Amino acid sequence: MSLHLSLGATTTTRTLLVLLQLMLGAYLLISSSACAKPIQAPDIRKCQKAIATSPNATVDNTTMTLDCCLPWHDIPRRNFSWDDYPVTHAKVRRAAHKADEEYIAKLNRAYELMKALPDDDPRSFAVQANIHCAFCDGSYKQLDTNITLHVHFSWFFMPWHRLYLYFHERILASLLGDPSFALVYWNWDNQILSNDTDHIGNNMPRYFTVKDTPIFDAKRDRDHAPASELLRINVVSDAAITDTPEEIAEENLNILYQSLVTANTADMFMGGAYRQGTDLSNSSVTDAPLGGSLELNVHSGIHYWTGDPNRKLRSDMGVFTTAARDPIFYAHHANVDRLWDVWTTLPGGCRKDPTDEDYLEAEFLFYDENQNLVKVKAKEAMDLSKMGVSYEAATEGDELWRNFEPKAAAGNEGNQVEYAKGKMGIKEISTAVDNNAKAIALGSNFTALVKLPAKISTTAGDQSSLSANDEQLDEVLVIQGVDLSRDDYVNLKVFVNMPTADSNTPIYTAEYVGSATIVPSPEAGKRLFTNVKMELGDNLKRLGLQDEDMVVITIVVDAISGSPVSIRGMKIQYQSTMCSTSSST
Ligand code: C2O
């Protein structure tokens, strides 16, 4: 990769600083990837039990030890090849709320057959659920290391779950003897309100709530059976917060807008790099991987909303350990997968998979419908059509969040930087964070002034260089070294120039930058150490703040069981939104 920079005549010192920052970023990227390697399939014979403890639950309140180890004895192994999995029938995944009785019967029959298989059959529901548990709770180590292999909180979140659904759906289809059988997607992003609550996207599909059917799960929030409540993507721990359906819909739309529309690079949307040697609980400030906005801002809230609040860690759906024991998990993830697909078609930015070899060549393990253990690479997840899978369009619902226009909050006018400084005594946060930086406890609310570097003002430049004009650079907020317990639901909501924001502040305004919600994935007391990145440029534009030197950033913390959260620092940086032809960033 060549760092060819073309500087215009208007170059200023601050412009140079921005360029230096971009060069340094590119250098660090190259140097850190040069010695790393893609994740290899783990040694499936070496497995340990998953241990989950809950800090605060009223039912079932002991340490949960789960054996999620996967079967391998006498199981044939193969490397994935498309030749072995030709597309013979199109699989069209439809919106769950539009399913007819015939499909519902079929879906139930498929899970009935899967649940009837013996627990050591790799196609059984027990093993299917354990595949998810095994790769999120410490059952397996990265090959030849002592580091846990984990498929959330990084760029593997999307390809891993897509391949997981692919094989899961093939098994269901083969058990039914119907090669065209496809999963449904739970269309919770669809905010079209109607009195016909049996047929709206954003509640729990009615047929999943019928007791004693194969797709029912008793370990859910009982208040969230259909029609009683709209799904709230925003995680609120205070059950007393009641909003009108319109307010819930507006909040959902802004979350979706901030997560899918303004997050316009793979880094922000899909998540950061995870390679051989990446340790989620022991990374440094500068290399901590991050989860993308679809995972942390959108997907996690549905897990929280669905799980049983009276059970340890809100199982089943509320904790990665048990989430896939609820058949609705697969409908939830089909929608996550659909939204990934929709995201690639939205205008602007670079909406493609990373081109880094450590992404493309990473290996995962799944079982197919013929009970083979299949080693498959992340790159095979890039093209749904190769899988014969497509999603029935949900255009009307999608358009609501695509075209959402968050407005500045009423009553939040005036100079918020001056107000925060003068009235609240808020200080500027150091943006030069390194691995020795001291932890900053967030409490339930943390506000700081953050410097806004000047935007580069040069124009021109070809795609292979780092030169860029205004259109190609976007302000991104990085919350560095977020350190939190993996035993607890933690929700961080971020606001710009709203220093008085708290957990009751509505999130449908332009001041709302995004959220990061961590679904618990306990692993014997291990912590999660991560950087959280959020697109900020769109907020600044809508609030007219692009030319400021400084903004106020407020992080509202909701840790359901109250475990403390700290960060090391915050900074605003520029990120190129162009697709680089020479290297992925
Ligand atoms: Cu692997 Cu929704 O989680």
Side-chain angles (χ1 to χ4, degrees):
M1 173 175 179
S2 73
L3 294 176
H4 165 77
L5 301 170
S6 47
L7 299 181
T10 56
T11 304
T12 64
T13 317
R14 289 158 100 195
T15 303
L16 273 170
L17 280 174
V18 173
L19 284 170
L20 278 172
Q21 182 205 333
L22 286 169
M23 287 171 73
L24 181 68
Y27 168 75
L28 287 173
L29 188 92
I30 294 163
S31 55
S32 66
S33 58
C35 50
K37 281 198 300 188
I39 290 292
Q40 291 168 272
D43 183 342
I44 197 156
R45 296 163 307 174
K46 294 190 187 154
C47 180
Q48 57 190 58
K49 290 194 172 138
I51 297 175
T53 35
S54 161
N56 182 13
T58 52
V59 176
D60 190 14
N61 192 14
T62 51
T63 298
M64 169 160 74
T65 307
L66 291 175
D67 185 350
C68 300
C69 296
L70 300 172
W72 51 270
H73 244 294
D74 299 327
I75 291 183
R77 295 164 191 232
R78 54 156 59 162
N79 291 332
F80 182 83
S81 145
W82 290 110
D83 296 339
D84 296 327
Y85 301 89
V87 174
T88 57
H89 293 72
K91 290 175 190 286
V92 184
R93 296 182 185 160
R94 299 198 160 82
H97 63 288
K98 293 189 184 152
D100 58 22
E101 294 307 318
E102 192 191 335
Y103 177 83
I104 295 165
K106 208 180 245 188
L107 184 68
N108 269 299
R109 177 83 184 127
Y111 279 101
E112 183 183 355
L113 293 166
M114 189 177 252
K115 286 182 168 178
L117 293 170
D119 282 0
D120 60 349
D121 186 317
R123 301 167 304 166
S124 68
F125 192 69
V127 171
Q128 289 295 301
N130 280 348
I131 292 173
H132 190 255
C133 169
F135 296 113
C136 67
D137 274 315
S139 298
Y140 294 99
K141 304 287 181 205
Q142 294 171 19
L143 194 65
D144 300 330
T145 74
N146 211 12
I147 304 170
T148 296
L149 184 54
H150 197 111
V151 297
H152 301 89
F153 311 121
S154 79
W155 62 16
F156 290 135
F157 172 72
M158 289 186 211
W160 188 87
H161 288 82
R162 174 168 285 176
L163 290 161
Y164 180 40
L165 291 188
Y166 171 70
F167 287 106
H168 181 75
E169 185 178 61
R170 290 184 72 93
I171 294 169
L172 293 170
S174 102
L175 292 171
L176 283 172
D178 175 358
S180 67
F181 174 80
L183 295 166
V184 272
Y185 63 86
W186 181 5
N187 196 189
W188 36 251
D189 62 300
N190 182 335
Q191 307 302 311
I192 299 173
L193 301 171
S194 153
N195 291 331
D196 177 10
T197 48
D198 270 359
H199 296 102
I200 59 172
N202 192 39
N203 63 7
M204 193 175 286
R206 170 187 44 82
Y207 51 94
F208 277 98
T209 69
V210 182
K211 275 209 180 103
D212 301 324
T213 59
I215 58 174
F216 176 72
D217 183 16
K219 296 177 185 172
R220 291 188 192 136
D221 190 327
R222 268 161 238 177
D223 291 339
H224 293 170
S228 63
E229 207 174 331
L230 289 175
L231 188 150
R232 194 196 278 268
I233 302 176
N234 183 20
V235 169
V236 288
S237 60
D238 182 356
I241 298 181
T242 50
D243 290 321
T244 64
E246 288 73 19
E247 283 166 336
I248 293 175
E250 291 268 294
E251 291 204 327
N252 287 348
L253 290 173
N254 201 21
I255 291 190
L256 291 156
Y257 174 77
Q258 302 294 345
S259 311
L260 281 123
V261 181
T262 72
N264 56 9
T265 62
D267 197 29
M268 280 186 286
F269 178 75
M270 297 179 65
Y274 185 103
R275 318 171 198 277
Q276 177 86 0
T278 301
D279 186 345
L280 290 174
S281 55
N282 192 26
S283 354
S284 72
V285 167
T286 46
D287 72 4
L290 56 122
S293 58
L294 184 61
E295 177 187 358
L296 296 189
N297 200 1
V298 179
H299 143 276
S300 302
I302 288 92
H303 278 278
Y304 180 83
W305 187 85
T306 310
D308 184 347
N310 295 318
R311 271 173 207 282
K312 188 185 321 179
L313 299 163
R314 301 179 86 92
S315 60
D316 282 334
M317 272 285 274
V319 50
F320 286 146
T321 324
T322 55
R325 293 178 177 193
D326 185 337
I328 210 168
F329 172 95
Y330 306 90
H332 168 39
H333 269 273
N335 200 40
V336 173
D337 193 62
R338 184 186 74 86
L339 291 175
W340 178 21
D341 196 43
V342 171
W343 176 81
T344 62
T345 68
L346 300 177
C350 180
R351 298 172 185 268
K352 290 193 178 123
D353 283 66
T355 50
D356 193 312
E357 293 290 299
D358 289 348
Y359 171 81
L360 300 170
E361 298 297 322
E363 298 169 341
F364 309 134
L365 294 176
F366 297 100
Y367 301 100
D368 71 8
E369 66 277 19
N370 297 316
Q371 308 190 50
N372 296 301
L373 181 63
V374 191
K375 185 157 91 182
V376 52
K377 294 188 172 180
K379 65 181 173 195
E380 310 298 3
M382 287 166 64
D383 187 353
L384 274 177
S385 68
K386 281 194 178 167
M387 300 178 173
V389 169
S390 62
Y391 288 98
E392 183 187 64
T395 317
E396 266 181 274
D398 292 353
E399 261 164 19
L400 287 183
W401 54 255
R402 282 178 72 151
N403 302 322
F404 189 70
E405 301 240 358
K407 309 254 178 330
N412 193 47
E413 300 82 14
N415 190 324
Q416 299 297 325
V417 171
E418 287 310 314
Y419 179 82
K421 257 201 245 175
K423 288 259 156 34
M424 300 171 73
I426 300 296
K427 302 251 157 12
E428 186 183 337
I429 197 165
S430 158
T431 51
V433 174
D434 61 19
N435 290 331
N436 301 320
K438 273 222 282 318
I440 306 166
L442 291 188
S444 60
N445 206 305
F446 176 79
T447 297
L449 302 174
V450 187
K451 198 171 255 127
L452 198 60
K455 196 156 195 168
I456 189 165
S457 57
T458 52
T459 49
D462 64 79
Q463 296 219 345
S464 62
S465 76
L466 279 175
S467 62
N469 62 26
D470 280 5
E471 270 59 59
Q472 296 147 352
L473 289 177
D474 199 3
E475 291 90 346
V476 174
L477 172 72
V478 189
I479 308 172
Q480 296 162 295
V482 179
D483 183 3
L484 45 84
S485 160
R486 279 169 49 185
D487 296 345
D488 197 0
Y489 254 99
V490 176
N491 173 250
L492 307 178
K493 280 188 253 294
V494 179
F495 296 86
V496 59
N497 276 21
M498 199 184 233
T500 54
D502 62 23
S503 57
N504 291 319
T505 303
I507 59 160
Y508 43 68
T509 67
E511 282 85 350
Y512 168 72
V513 181
S515 312
T517 300
I518 308 300
V519 175
S521 59
E523 187 198 330
K526 285 210 169 161
R527 301 187 67 77
L528 178 68
F529 195 69
T530 191
N531 289 320
V532 172
K533 264 191 191 180
M534 290 175 183
E535 197 276 348
L536 183 66
D538 187 75
N539 302 79
L540 298 179
K541 250 179 241 140
R542 287 180 187 278
L543 298 168
L545 300 172
Q546 307 102 294
D547 299 324
E548 302 297 310
D549 297 332
M550 192 87 86
V551 290
V552 189
I553 297 290
T554 299
I555 307 177
V556 176
V557 183
D558 227 340
I560 305 309
S561 303
S563 49
V565 181
S566 66
I567 63 171
R568 297 297 168 93
M570 273 196 271
K571 65 177 174 183
I572 296 167
Q573 64 184 31
Y574 289 103
Q575 178 161 314
S576 170
T577 57
M578 290 174 67
C579 287
S580 157
T581 51
S582 47
S583 162
S584 69
T585 50

